Structures are given as C-alpha cells and as structure tokens.
Amino acid sequence: MRKLMSYLFDPAPVIAIPVEGGAGFPVNRIFCVGQNYADHIREMGGTDTSVEPVLFMKPASALASGPDVPYPPVTTDLHHEVEMVAAFGPDGVIAAGVGIDLTRRDLQAMAKKRGGPWEIGKAFDNGAVIGPLRPGPPPAGGAIKLSVNGTVRQEGDLGQMNRSLPELLALIGKYFTLLPGDLVFTGTPSGVGPLLPGDTVEATIEGLPPLTFRMTDRKA
Ligand code: MN
C-alpha cells in the first residue's frame, strides 16, 4: 500500500493491552475459536463433539478491560464465555491472558438461523474483555473458571480443549497469515450463561493473571 504523508483526519490510536511488568501489547486482530470443548458443544445442542472449530473475528476496537464494562445495546441475552487468550508476537506466541468472549446470544442465534455471519452477535463494542497478559508460553493445562457475583458458572480445564493451541494456530494459519499483535481466543468450556447489568464477573486460569470486571448499565 502507498505510504501517505498526511491523512484526511487523525488516524485512530494504537489499541494496546497491559502486559505484566512491561510495555503494552499493541493489538492487530482478534481471532476467535468456537466449539473447541466437547461439553460446550453439547450444551449448545451439537452432537459431533470433535467437529472442526469455527473461526471468527472481532475488531481490536471491541477490546475492553474493565473495571467497568458497559452492557451492550440491542441484546436481552448477553452471555459470558471464559477463554484462554494467546498473544502473537514477532516470533510466535509470546504471552497469554484471561479473556471473555461476550456474546449477544439472541442475535447470534438469529444469525445462525439465517445462515449468515455472526458479527452482530460477537463483534460489538466492548465484546472482547481481556485481563493483563503474562509473558511466556501459555499454559497447556490447568483450571479455567468463571464466577458471577461469587457463584461459579464455568469450570473446566485447558487440557479439555479439542484442539490444542499449536493445533489451533495451524488451523488459523491455513486461512490467514498470523501477524505480530494478533490475539487468539481459544474457545470456552461449558456453563455459558447470561450476564445482567450490575453483575460482577471474576475469571481465572491457572498460571495467568485473573480478570475481574463489573457490567454497568445498558447504553441508552
Ligand atoms: Mn467463544
């Protein structure tokens, strides 16, 4: 692409997320993997529990980190999905964190019904909540858990993933060139369910910094 000397308006600032003990991680794209845990495939009504995972994307502008996350418009069925997130640097995966793939389940269901894309259910503003990244190789096993107002809703183990992180990267790599700054949400275990304005969400993955945030009121 031709390099321009000036722009019609100021370009959007770089979107970055905090990394423990270091500089921010500048985000390029967010790849998301769906249907990567058998028990979650089952709870969504699927029967082929080893189906090839679904790939979709969210824009970097969808990132949120709390402590307050606005309840998104249009939906009446916002769901939490806790996921391990791998962060891709110049030399492969360089860090990982705890993420929530917020989902407007009612809108996603409508999109599925008409066989259309999932953006209105998945790629909305503040729909990708993420905690601080921890540098180093992501954990391949260990507890992954999400609580709402102190009640455990999702509880699983990273070892339950149908496709491991290296397998997911290979799958994504078939279709896209992974670039420095890309994040990969690796799928959610069972127990997904609704969030309401005012709910406090706490998500943890063994070996990674925890993520806590509060859903605020619906945007008018
Ligand atoms: Mn998900």
Side-chain angles (χ1 to χ4, degrees):
M1 214 183 297
R2 196 156 62 95
K3 211 166 184 169
L4 297 172
M5 298 300 288
S6 65
Y7 302 100
L8 280 178
F9 51 88
D10 289 340
V14 170
I15 294 167
I17 49 180
V19 181
E20 273 187 339
F25 178 88
V27 179
N28 185 29
R29 296 170 299 178
I30 307 174
F31 291 96
C32 296
V33 169
Q35 304 171 11
N36 196 32
Y37 287 76
D39 55 357
H40 173 62
I41 295 171
R42 248 177 254 119
E43 77 177 346
M44 295 302 291
T47 46
D48 180 359
T49 54
S50 60
V51 68
E52 179 165 297
V54 174
L55 300 180
F56 62 96
M57 294 172 78
K58 300 193 182 206
S61 58
L63 284 168
S65 55
D68 290 333
V69 174
Y71 193 98
V74 188
T75 186
T76 54
D77 194 23
L78 181 73
H79 275 205
H80 54 76
E81 297 188 357
V82 61
E83 314 201 1
M84 200 266 284
V85 181
F88 208 81
D91 304 306
V93 174
I94 56 167
V98 176
I100 313 290
D101 166 19
L102 286 179
T103 303
R104 295 195 280 213
R105 193 69 75 199
D106 41 1
L107 302 191
Q108 185 200 26
M110 273 173 48
K112 280 182 175 176
K113 203 170 159 192
R114 55 189 287 187
W118 289 8
E119 273 87 348
I120 59 168
K122 288 286 196 180
F124 51 92
D125 297 348
N126 303 299
V129 190
I130 190 159
L133 299 179
R134 179 161 290 170
I144 175 170
K145 196 165 141 180
L146 179 139
S147 303
V148 180
N149 304 324
T151 303
V152 177
R153 296 264 194 92
Q154 293 190 261
E155 201 167 15
D157 192 286
L158 295 179
Q160 295 168 330
M161 284 191 203
N162 280 348
R163 305 284 202 288
S164 66
L165 179 62
E167 290 168 331
L168 292 177
L169 297 178
L171 177 67
I172 294 167
K174 268 170 58 178
Y175 302 101
F176 306 95
T177 304
L178 278 161
L179 296 170
D182 288 343
L183 296 172
V184 178
F185 278 62
T186 56
T188 195
S190 64
V192 302
L195 289 174
L196 296 172
D199 279 348
T200 296
V201 180
E202 190 176 7
T204 55
I205 293 174
E206 225 176 303
L208 296 178
L211 166 63
T212 305
F213 63 94
R214 182 177 164 274
M215 295 304 307
T216 59
D217 289 342
R218 281 165 212 274
K219 259 183 155 176

